[in-house]
Structure formats: C-alpha cells, structure tokens
Amino acid sequence: MSEALIQIGLVGCADIARKVSRAISLATNATVSAVGSRSLDKASAFAAANGIPPHAKLHGSYEAVLEDPGVDAVYMPLPTSLHLRWALLAAEKKKHLLLEKPVALNVKEFDEIVDACESNGVQLMDNTMWVHNPRTHAMADFLTDSNRFGKLKSVRTCFTFAADAYYLNNDIRVKPDLDALGSLGDQGWYCIRAILLAANYDLPNTVIASRHPVLNQQGVILDCGASLYWDDGGVATFHCSFLANLTMDITAIGTKGTLHVHDFVIPHQEKEASFSASTETSFNDLVTGWDIKPRIHTTNTDLPQEALLIREFARLVGEIKYKNSKPDKKWPLISRKTQIVVDAVKASIERGFEPIPIQD
Amino acid sequence: MSEALIQIGLVGCADIARKVSRAISLATNATVSAVGSRSLDKASAFAAANGIPPHAKLHGSYEAVLEDPGVDAVYMPLPTSLHLRWALLAAEKKKHLLLEKPVALNVKEFDEIVDACESNGVQLMDNTMWVHNPRTHAMADFLTDSNRFGKLKSVRTCFTFAADAYYLNNDIRVKPDLDALGSLGDQGWYCIRAILLAANYDLPNTVIASRHPVLNQQGVILDCGASLYWDDGGVATFHCSFLANLTMDITAIGTKGTLHVHDFVIPHQEKEASFSASTETSFNDLVTGWDIKPRIHTTNTDLPQEALLIREFARLVGEIKYKNSKPDKKWPLISRKTQIVVDAVKASIERGFEPIPIQD
C-alpha cells in the first residue's frame, strides 16, 4: 500500500505561492491541505483562483495553519524579515518547513532557524527550485568530472531583470522592513548558489563586493556584485540586479572543460533544458577556427523543476513521517553556505569593499 | 584604372605570420612583396611553405625589409619587447605598420611608437583581427542601440586556453625578455578590447586586479583578471589564462538588452559567426518560463576576419599613398585605450590589488 500524500499548508499567499501550489499539485507525493493568509477572504480568494483542492482547509491566520493537525509541512513565502518568527513557530509545532529564499536576514538568524528545526526533528529546505532540475544534476556531473572539466579556474554567474517602476516602489524586495537583502537576497542567492555548485560546495576564503552597488533611498540593494576567492586559485564573480535586462548565466571554466548556461534559474521552457559543454577544446592548425564546437546537452523532464523540488521535499518528509528517519542535513547545509556568502557580500559593501574573510 | 596592390613586407616569420600571409593573399588590395627573417634560410623556408608569391623578395634581416623600396607597409609579428626598436625604425623608413598585439610593453612605449608613426606620416594598426569581423559591427550596432540594449550595466569577457607543457616552458609569451605581459598582453588584450567595445570606448575610471593571479617563476602572468569601474555605475570583469580550457566570451548586460558571444576572438568557423541578443526579455505569468528566447544573429562573410583586417589596413595605406590622406587615428586611439587598461591591471597586481585610477 503506498503511503499517503504529504499534506502541505501554505503560510501566506504571496504571488510565488501560485507557482508553488501548482507544483504541489503536479508532484505525485504531496497535496495542499491548508491555505492560510492574514484574512480568510484572502485565503479563500487564493484557493479559488489557483485550483486548490476542495478538501483544503482555509485559515484566516498563519497561526491557524501551524495548529492545523491536517498539515505535515508548510510552505512559507513570507518576507524574509518574518522568517525567524514564523519558522521558529512552525518548528515548534512540528511542521516540516519549505522556506522561501533567502532563508534569513543573516547567518545568525539562519542558525536559529536550523537549530529550531533540528531540535524539533523537522525537515528544513529552501525553495531554490533550479537545483532540482535534472539539468542541474547533469551540470554537476560535468563540473565534478576530473576528465571532462578538471579543476575549477573561474566561474561567473549573473541573474538580473529589469523591474518596472511599480516593483521598484512597492515590491517587498525593495523594502527594508520586509526583504531587506533586496537583489542580493533574491537574485544574488541564486548566483551564489550556482557558484557554490561549480566549486563543489567549498566555501571561498575571501569575498570582495564590487564597487558601485546601487541602493535605494532606504538602503536596500537593487544592484550589486562580488568576487569570491578560493585559496587554491579559483575565482568567482557574480552580478545581480533589478535594473538590467533579464539575464541568468553560469559560465564555469576548468582546466579541462567549460560550461555555459543562459537560463539557469528559470529554464526557457518547462520540459526541456540545455547547457553547453566542451572539453579540451582547441584551434585548428592555422588558428582560423575551432577544432570542435561546444556540445549542447539537453535534458528532458516530465515535471517542472518546482514540482521536482516539492517531490524531493515531500520524499524527505515522508521518510521522517513513515520511516522514522532523521531530517536530511544536505539541503540546510547548502543553504547555510549560501547565506554565509550573502552575509559576506553585504559586509563588504558596508565596509567600503573590504575583503571579508569567510569563517565557517 | 584601379590602384596597385599595397606591397606588404613581413618583418619576422613567427607562427602567426602563416595566418597573416594567407590573409594578405585573400585580401583583394594587398600582396606580400617581401619576407624578412633573421636568416635568409628561414625567410626562404617560410616563403616556400606558405605560398608566398614568387615575386616577393627574401631578406636575411629585418633591416633589409625596412630598406626595401618595394615595400609600402610591414607586418611585424615580433615579440613585444622588440616592438619599440623595430616600430620606430619602420616609421623612420616610412613603412606603414601593422603591429602584433600587445602593441607595447606599456603606454609610454606605445606613445613613442604612435608619435614616430605620426611624425613620419605612416599608418599604425594593431593586429586585433576579430574587430574586423562583420559580426563585431553587428554587435556594436546592438550595444550602442538605446532601444535594443540601453545603458551598459555589466560586461564580462574571458579568453582562456590550456597551453601545453611545451608552450608553458618555451613560448615567447612566457618569457620576461620577449612577451613580458604574458597572458595579460596576449589574451587580456582581447578581453579588454571587448570590454571597451561594450563601453563604447569610454575608458573606465578605476581598475582593480583580481586576487590570485598566476605568475611563472620569471614573473610573467599566466592567469589573471580584473574588474573595471565606470563612474556611471558600469562594471566590467575579465579573466585571461593560459591555464584553463579554451573559452572566449563576451556577456554584456544593459538596462534593456543582453548580448552573448562565445567565440569572439576566433569564430568557430571562418565564413559565419553568431551572437545571441535579447531585448526587454521577461517571464511568463507564472514565472515558469521566458516570454521570448534570446535571438541568434548570424553574419556571413566571404573573407575571414584576418583578411578583412588586411583589407582595412591596406585601404588606409592606399588612401595615404594614392590620395595624400592623413593616417587614420581611430585605430591607434582604440589600441592606446587598450594599452592603458593593460597597464592599470599590471599595476594593480604589482601593488597588491590596489584600485588604480585611470588617467588618460
């Protein structure tokens, strides 16, 4: 007999919850069992507009979702400044926790959240979707292959989009009391995560922010970048921005191979994603062309990456619920490393672009 | 009656002269009229192996090419440390000068060369081939288009290749007495030039070298990078290396558009070259895909880029020779800006990664 679906409650109905509730419905091991908002009307309107199953309970407060015995796990798309409070309460109520990124405002808060999850035996995962795309696994295989890629020499990532005037004045990501990390916490999170992927999750030794970050009048970052250095000579740079045309790249150059991807966060289309890779590429004899062109690798998937994330999250929750397993530590550890680098970039900006040593 | 072909003498028979002598034969307005090497045997062997026209004179010294009355212009593929001496002599002998890059060891030497060319009324051009590819013109059109690209926010370039052990021990580019600028002068020259292209040839205000450059035991740069900053907020980074797999990218992100090219220095093939461009790209409503994919722009050319360079050089020489025009100043000016940034990167490395202000 197959195990029952993992029952997921939504703590908040932010715009991104539309995509995630669809993902939950697509994943084969989970279902939306509750929707909570600050008012019952909002919860009800969200449920009606987003095909939430009729059996799902509607709640007029976040607390009510956390108290709901029909909820195994919660998805929490709240502004970052609210994460600490609500994540701690969720853990206390033994609800497994899928938390929007950035996980926390800083690593101190992060550690409070992860400690609460660990001591309550609940799974923590952040909602970084692209790492669950099968393309990412194929990229990781390439990047860790000593024959095809070799040793990482440099990696460049970027995630930019041109926010409109409404966004730049009203979105939670430009408000110091909501998502105070701005573009760094939103887009930079992905860029740093991609750099860590290319570095096989080794933290850099030093982080230096790029000059000329753009902050709004409230001091929230709208555009920034940084360089990351490893003692073995690897160098990474990234650029994130609300002020530049939509671009999302990873370019990783190893001693033996090169990888390019141009839609790493959100693939151009749902069911298919590509990257280009080359190994020991060279010129022809007269140096008028290349001996071989980089090869395009395409992966196909029945489920979009956000549904694959839900499937992985619900699988881990199921392991705990039905098989008495311990919560997985891999995902929180990767999240924590991302948060450490976010903190370092912010510190470097605040200290006039000083090099910030990374201490794990 | 059409004007006669511009008579080009080769001052040196370095490997790159094979490609350039072929380019001269392909260009429709020039011919190789002399080949000079440090011995007549070498000149003779080069001519035989590379289809040099039978009418070309063979010389056993560089001086003899510069004295040859049948030579209008010379191509000089000598190590950088020899440029000053031989370029000055060429100018004095009224030979127009196509000089390998990097033009000089530093901008002081550069200015001596350009002054000598100006005072002798001869054309100076460096042998940066890719800027003569029609693709580069199409890229420049895109990058300067306020509707399609907008204002430059960030540009990343790289040119790396994995030199073999023989190269790393013997090539002139790793020898302090020959090409002392190493990878920075060779590959970095192109990266910087591409950055300047994206910045519409505005010099940055500040240059900061990346940490962890790799120098050989003689102090020649094998791998380095830098960040360049403009006061208006633009940021550029580049990475050049003899120690990483062949990669050559430009990624330019503007407020409205994005450009990617992955073979900017040497196109994958001779007759066709592509770049990808997007304008005001966005997501679909659920943020599960892109509204439009970046578009591939392909340009075709009958002549490879190195032949187009020769045609442009010979055209300018012809303007002077037959129409009494003044030497063109555009190409030397762009070369000089490239040299200025090369100098700043080197200075930043030497001064422990200090920011170097750029003073034109």
Side-chain angles (χ1 to χ4, degrees):
Chain A
M1 191 182 87
S2 74
E3 283 140 5
L5 301 177
I6 298 301
Q7 309 287 309
I8 299 182
L10 309 183
V11 177
C13 295
D15 212 42
I16 182 72
R18 296 163 57 216
K19 179 173 177 177
V20 173
S21 59
R22 171 174 174 265
I24 295 169
S25 76
L26 291 172
T28 49
N29 56 354
T31 186
V32 175
S33 65
V35 177
S37 189
R38 280 171 293 174
S39 79
L40 197 56
D41 281 354
K42 278 191 193 168
S44 173
F46 180 90
N50 291 285
I52 300 298
H55 62 72
K57 288 201 185 140
L58 305 178
H59 297 290
S61 75
Y62 303 153
E63 288 91 341
V65 182
L66 301 181
E67 296 286 356
D68 187 335
V71 167
D72 297 316
V74 292
Y75 166 58
M76 195 172 278
L78 302 177
T80 315
S81 63
L82 302 179
H83 283 189
L84 182 63
R85 175 182 164 199
W86 291 103
L88 261 51
L89 193 60
E92 192 184 300
K93 301 293 181 185
K94 313 288 183 199
K95 306 300 189 196
H96 303 281
L97 183 57
L98 177 62
L99 195 52
E100 255 316 323
K101 31 60 54 181
V103 170
L105 291 172
N106 53 58
V107 77
K108 185 175 165 291
E109 284 195 359
F110 185 101
D111 284 346
E112 288 187 61
I113 292 170
V114 81
D115 288 350
C117 291
E118 282 186 6
S119 63
N120 285 288
V122 301
Q123 182 66 48
L124 173 66
M125 188 185 277
D126 83 51
N127 198 36
T128 303
M129 299 164 174
W130 65 269
V131 296
H132 299 274
N133 195 304
R135 171 175 66 180
T136 306
H137 306 313
M139 293 196 301
D141 286 346
F142 179 76
L143 293 166
T144 54
D145 188 324
S146 59
N147 293 317
R148 287 189 295 161
F149 185 70
K151 188 171 161 299
L152 179 69
K153 293 295 293 177
S154 75
V155 51
R156 157 77 176 178
T157 67
C158 64
F159 181 17
T160 64
F161 57 75
D164 60 19
Y166 183 84
Y167 185 107
L168 291 174
N169 285 306
N170 298 285
D171 195 88
I172 60 166
R173 292 173 194 80
V174 302
K175 302 289 185 187
D177 54 337
L178 298 172
D179 274 352
L181 295 171
S183 168
L184 174 61
D186 183 39
Q187 303 164 304
W189 181 273
Y190 296 121
C191 294
I192 292 166
R193 188 75 165 259
I195 287 170
L196 289 172
L197 174 78
N200 204 18
Y201 301 106
D202 276 349
L203 276 171
N205 303 94
T206 309
V207 171
I208 308 178
S210 305
R211 284 157 194 248
H212 303 324
V214 181
L215 282 66
N216 68 12
Q217 288 186 329
Q218 292 77 43
V220 177
I221 295 167
L222 305 180
D223 176 301
C224 74
S227 298
L228 288 62
Y229 298 98
W230 286 258
D231 273 349
D232 69 356
V235 178
T237 56
F238 77 86
H239 176 214
C240 58
S241 181
F242 293 146
L243 307 175
N245 187 53
L246 176 58
T247 312
M248 41 174 86
D249 292 352
I250 305 172
T251 303
I253 311 178
T255 49
K256 290 190 182 173
T258 305
L259 176 147
H260 287 110
V261 59
H262 294 304
D263 57 351
F264 83 95
V265 181
I266 310 281
H268 292 135
Q269 53 212 51
E270 276 196 351
K271 301 288 177 76
E272 183 185 299
S274 299
F275 66 96
S276 105
S278 58
T279 297
E280 294 184 345
T281 330
S282 191
F283 298 119
N284 62 21
D285 174 54
L286 256 191
V287 194
T288 58
W290 293 41
D291 58 352
I292 39 169
K293 287 174 72 168
R295 193 173 142 221
I296 306 298
H297 294 254
T298 300
T299 53
N300 296 291
T301 173
D302 287 339
L303 289 179
Q305 59 188 19
E306 57 273 18
L308 295 170
L309 176 145
I310 295 296
R311 202 168 67 179
E312 168 71 354
F313 176 65
R315 183 185 71 77
L316 293 170
V317 171
E319 293 284 323
I320 299 165
K321 183 176 180 181
Y322 298 114
K323 298 182 185 163
N324 215 21
S325 298
K326 297 273 185 200
D328 158 88
K329 292 195 173 187
K330 181 186 82 168
W331 295 113
L333 183 64
I334 292 174
S335 296
R336 186 172 190 272
K337 289 181 177 185
T338 314
Q339 188 86 48
I340 286 171
V341 178
V342 165
D343 280 19
V345 175
K346 189 155 179 284
S348 182
I349 291 172
E350 287 167 356
R351 295 178 206 166
F353 318 109
E354 262 184 36
I356 304 294
I358 294 287
Q359 286 139 341
D360 188 2
Chain B
M1 193 183 86
S2 75
E3 283 140 5
L5 301 176
I6 297 302
Q7 309 287 310
I8 300 183
L10 309 183
V11 177
C13 296
D15 212 41
I16 182 72
R18 296 162 56 215
K19 178 173 177 177
V20 173
S21 59
R22 171 174 174 265
I24 296 169
S25 76
L26 291 171
T28 49
N29 56 355
T31 187
V32 176
S33 66
V35 176
S37 189
R38 281 171 292 176
S39 78
L40 197 57
D41 281 354
K42 278 190 191 168
S44 173
F46 180 90
N50 291 283
I52 301 296
H55 62 70
K57 287 201 187 139
L58 305 178
H59 297 291
S61 75
Y62 304 152
E63 287 91 342
V65 182
L66 301 181
E67 296 285 355
D68 187 335
V71 166
D72 298 316
V74 291
Y75 166 59
M76 195 174 277
L78 301 176
T80 314
S81 63
L82 302 181
H83 283 189
L84 183 63
R85 174 181 165 200
W86 291 104
L88 261 50
L89 193 59
E92 193 184 299
K93 301 293 181 184
K94 312 291 185 196
K95 305 302 188 194
H96 304 282
L97 182 57
L98 177 62
L99 195 52
E100 256 316 324
K101 30 59 58 181
V103 169
L105 291 172
N106 52 58
V107 77
K108 184 174 165 292
E109 282 195 0
F110 185 100
D111 284 346
E112 287 186 63
I113 292 170
V114 82
D115 288 351
C117 290
E118 281 186 7
S119 63
N120 285 288
V122 301
Q123 181 66 49
L124 173 66
M125 189 185 276
D126 82 52
N127 198 36
T128 303
M129 299 164 175
W130 65 269
V131 297
H132 299 274
N133 195 304
R135 170 176 66 180
T136 306
H137 307 313
M139 295 197 301
D141 286 346
F142 179 76
L143 293 166
T144 54
D145 187 326
S146 59
N147 292 316
R148 287 189 295 160
F149 185 72
K151 188 171 159 300
L152 178 69
K153 293 295 292 177
S154 75
V155 52
R156 158 77 175 175
T157 67
C158 64
F159 182 16
T160 63
F161 57 74
D164 60 20
Y166 183 83
Y167 186 105
L168 291 174
N169 285 305
N170 299 286
D171 195 87
I172 59 167
R173 292 172 193 81
V174 302
K175 301 290 184 186
D177 54 337
L178 298 173
D179 273 353
L181 295 170
S183 169
L184 174 61
D186 183 39
Q187 302 164 305
W189 180 273
Y190 297 122
C191 294
I192 292 166
R193 188 75 165 259
I195 288 170
L196 290 172
L197 174 78
N200 203 18
Y201 301 106
D202 275 348
L203 276 171
N205 303 95
T206 309
V207 171
I208 307 178
S210 305
R211 285 159 194 247
H212 303 323
V214 181
L215 280 65
N216 68 10
Q217 288 186 328
Q218 292 77 43
V220 177
I221 296 167
L222 305 180
D223 176 302
C224 74
S227 298
L228 288 64
Y229 298 99
W230 285 259
D231 274 348
D232 70 356
V235 179
T237 57
F238 77 86
H239 175 214
C240 58
S241 181
F242 293 147
L243 308 174
N245 187 53
L246 176 58
T247 312
M248 41 173 86
D249 291 352
I250 305 171
T251 303
I253 310 178
T255 50
K256 291 192 181 171
T258 305
L259 176 146
H260 287 110
V261 59
H262 294 303
D263 57 351
F264 83 96
V265 181
I266 310 281
H268 292 135
Q269 52 212 53
E270 277 196 349
K271 300 290 178 74
E272 184 185 297
S274 298
F275 65 97
S276 107
S278 57
T279 296
E280 293 184 346
T281 330
S282 191
F283 298 121
N284 62 21
D285 174 53
L286 256 190
V287 194
T288 57
W290 293 41
D291 58 353
I292 38 168
K293 287 175 70 167
R295 195 174 140 219
I296 306 297
H297 293 254
T298 299
T299 52
N300 295 291
T301 173
D302 286 339
L303 289 179
Q305 59 189 18
E306 58 273 18
L308 294 170
L309 176 145
I310 295 295
R311 201 167 66 178
E312 167 71 353
F313 175 66
R315 182 185 72 77
L316 294 170
V317 171
E319 293 283 322
I320 299 165
K321 182 175 179 182
Y322 299 114
K323 298 180 185 163
N324 215 20
S325 297
K326 297 273 186 200
D328 158 88
K329 292 197 173 187
K330 182 185 81 169
W331 295 114
L333 183 63
I334 292 174
S335 297
R336 186 172 189 272
K337 289 180 176 183
T338 314
Q339 187 88 49
I340 286 171
V341 178
V342 165
D343 280 19
V345 175
K346 188 154 181 280
S348 182
I349 292 172
E350 287 167 356
R351 295 177 205 168
F353 318 110
E354 261 186 36
I356 303 294
I358 294 287
Q359 286 139 340
D360 188 3

